[in-house]
Amino acid sequence: MEPKLLTAQRFVDPEIGCSYRYVYSETERFRPHWHEYYEVELFLSGKGTTLMNGTEHPVERGKLFFMTPIDIHCYTVTETTETINISGRYQSVQLLYKRQNLPPITI
């Protein structure tokens, strides 16, 4: 299955350059996809697997994933999951780094 591009126009608040979502999923399979933005996903509960850039990882409470715009990933839920999902445009992430006096991100 060809990976799908998820756009910032649909998933990131244009005013602040980032977004936050709580996701409750009973049993789903999310097709391979990638974003034109950064994404952090924290699993609060549940079980499953994620396939990121060809490597499979278990999904369970406490797992944290950071995806860049070049990471192709998908996941399968085998037990009801709850996640916190934070997405941000490249410019927003760079601004956070600048304010914290961290080195710039390069891809």
Side-chain angles (χ1 to χ4, degrees), residues 51-55 68 70-74:
L51 184 64
M52 188 170 316
N53 300 323
T55 303
T68 71
I70 61 172
D71 293 318
I72 296 175
H73 59 283
C74 63

PDB file of all heavy atoms in Angstrom, residues 51-55 68 70-74:
ATOM      1  N   LEU A  51       4.940   0.240  12.830  1.00  0.00           N
ATOM      2  CA  LEU A  51       5.993  -0.024  11.865  1.00  0.00           C
ATOM      3  C   LEU A  51       6.514   1.331  11.435  1.00  0.00           C
ATOM      4  O   LEU A  51       5.782   2.127  10.841  1.00  0.00           O
ATOM      5  CB  LEU A  51       5.441  -0.798  10.665  1.00  0.00           C
ATOM      6  CG  LEU A  51       6.452  -1.227   9.610  1.00  0.00           C
ATOM      7  CD1 LEU A  51       7.453  -2.226  10.195  1.00  0.00           C
ATOM      8  CD2 LEU A  51       5.740  -1.823   8.416  1.00  0.00           C
ATOM      9  N   MET A  52       7.762   1.639  11.795  1.00  0.00           N
ATOM     10  CA  MET A  52       8.348   2.935  11.478  1.00  0.00           C
ATOM     11  C   MET A  52       9.601   2.727  10.638  1.00  0.00           C
ATOM     12  O   MET A  52      10.549   2.087  11.090  1.00  0.00           O
ATOM     13  CB  MET A  52       8.694   3.717  12.737  1.00  0.00           C
ATOM     14  CG  MET A  52       9.119   5.127  12.425  1.00  0.00           C
ATOM     15  SD  MET A  52       9.289   6.239  13.829  1.00  0.00           S
ATOM     16  CE  MET A  52       7.872   5.925  14.791  1.00  0.00           C
ATOM     17  N   ASN A  53       9.548   3.240   9.406  1.00  0.00           N
ATOM     18  CA  ASN A  53      10.675   3.118   8.478  1.00  0.00           C
ATOM     19  C   ASN A  53      11.154   1.677   8.342  1.00  0.00           C
ATOM     20  O   ASN A  53      12.349   1.401   8.302  1.00  0.00           O
ATOM     21  CB  ASN A  53      11.824   4.037   8.896  1.00  0.00           C
ATOM     22  CG  ASN A  53      11.414   5.491   8.913  1.00  0.00           C
ATOM     23  OD1 ASN A  53      10.646   5.932   8.069  1.00  0.00           O
ATOM     24  ND2 ASN A  53      11.898   6.235   9.886  1.00  0.00           N
ATOM     25  N   GLY A  54      10.191   0.742   8.323  1.00  0.00           N
ATOM     26  CA  GLY A  54      10.506  -0.663   8.114  1.00  0.00           C
ATOM     27  C   GLY A  54      10.841  -1.457   9.360  1.00  0.00           C
ATOM     28  O   GLY A  54      11.064  -2.658   9.282  1.00  0.00           O
ATOM     29  N   THR A  55      10.870  -0.823  10.530  1.00  0.00           N
ATOM     30  CA  THR A  55      11.179  -1.516  11.782  1.00  0.00           C
ATOM     31  C   THR A  55       9.942  -1.549  12.669  1.00  0.00           C
ATOM     32  O   THR A  55       9.325  -0.519  12.910  1.00  0.00           O
ATOM     33  CB  THR A  55      12.333  -0.815  12.528  1.00  0.00           C
ATOM     34  OG1 THR A  55      13.476  -0.756  11.671  1.00  0.00           O
ATOM     35  CG2 THR A  55      12.699  -1.558  13.807  1.00  0.00           C
ATOM     36  N   THR A  68       9.542  12.604  12.255  1.00  0.00           N
ATOM     37  CA  THR A  68       9.929  13.768  11.453  1.00  0.00           C
ATOM     38  C   THR A  68       9.175  13.697  10.120  1.00  0.00           C
ATOM     39  O   THR A  68       8.554  12.674   9.811  1.00  0.00           O
ATOM     40  CB  THR A  68      11.446  13.779  11.198  1.00  0.00           C
ATOM     41  OG1 THR A  68      11.756  12.735  10.278  1.00  0.00           O
ATOM     42  CG2 THR A  68      12.242  13.625  12.488  1.00  0.00           C
ATOM     43  N   ILE A  70      10.124  12.957   7.337  1.00  0.00           N
ATOM     44  CA  ILE A  70      10.586  11.908   6.426  1.00  0.00           C
ATOM     45  C   ILE A  70      10.306  10.490   6.940  1.00  0.00           C
ATOM     46  O   ILE A  70      10.658   9.521   6.278  1.00  0.00           O
ATOM     47  CB  ILE A  70      12.093  12.061   6.104  1.00  0.00           C
ATOM     48  CG1 ILE A  70      12.940  11.960   7.364  1.00  0.00           C
ATOM     49  CG2 ILE A  70      12.358  13.359   5.365  1.00  0.00           C
ATOM     50  CD1 ILE A  70      14.434  11.902   7.110  1.00  0.00           C
ATOM     51  N   ASP A  71       9.661  10.351   8.089  1.00  0.00           N
ATOM     52  CA  ASP A  71       9.393   9.029   8.669  1.00  0.00           C
ATOM     53  C   ASP A  71       8.064   8.463   8.170  1.00  0.00           C
ATOM     54  O   ASP A  71       7.008   9.052   8.386  1.00  0.00           O
ATOM     55  CB  ASP A  71       9.364   9.098  10.196  1.00  0.00           C
ATOM     56  CG  ASP A  71      10.715   9.416  10.785  1.00  0.00           C
ATOM     57  OD1 ASP A  71      11.710   8.847  10.293  1.00  0.00           O
ATOM     58  OD2 ASP A  71      10.782  10.229  11.723  1.00  0.00           O
ATOM     59  N   ILE A  72       8.128   7.309   7.520  1.00  0.00           N
ATOM     60  CA  ILE A  72       6.917   6.610   7.087  1.00  0.00           C
ATOM     61  C   ILE A  72       6.554   5.618   8.184  1.00  0.00           C
ATOM     62  O   ILE A  72       7.397   4.835   8.632  1.00  0.00           O
ATOM     63  CB  ILE A  72       7.142   5.892   5.750  1.00  0.00           C
ATOM     64  CG1 ILE A  72       7.423   6.927   4.661  1.00  0.00           C
ATOM     65  CG2 ILE A  72       5.937   5.023   5.404  1.00  0.00           C
ATOM     66  CD1 ILE A  72       7.787   6.349   3.325  1.00  0.00           C
ATOM     67  N   HIS A  73       5.308   5.667   8.625  1.00  0.00           N
ATOM     68  CA  HIS A  73       4.892   4.798   9.732  1.00  0.00           C
ATOM     69  C   HIS A  73       3.424   4.428   9.627  1.00  0.00           C
ATOM     70  O   HIS A  73       2.653   5.041   8.901  1.00  0.00           O
ATOM     71  CB  HIS A  73       5.187   5.469  11.079  1.00  0.00           C
ATOM     72  CG  HIS A  73       4.493   6.785  11.246  1.00  0.00           C
ATOM     73  ND1 HIS A  73       4.925   7.947  10.638  1.00  0.00           N
ATOM     74  CD2 HIS A  73       3.397   7.128  11.949  1.00  0.00           C
ATOM     75  CE1 HIS A  73       4.138   8.941  10.959  1.00  0.00           C
ATOM     76  NE2 HIS A  73       3.179   8.475  11.754  1.00  0.00           N
ATOM     77  N   CYS A  74       3.063   3.377  10.356  1.00  0.00           N
ATOM     78  CA  CYS A  74       1.677   2.936  10.487  1.00  0.00           C
ATOM     79  C   CYS A  74       1.594   2.157  11.788  1.00  0.00           C
ATOM     80  O   CYS A  74       2.614   1.804  12.377  1.00  0.00           O
ATOM     81  CB  CYS A  74       1.256   2.065   9.310  1.00  0.00           C
ATOM     82  SG  CYS A  74       2.172   0.525   9.136  1.00  0.00           S
TER      83      CYS A  74
END
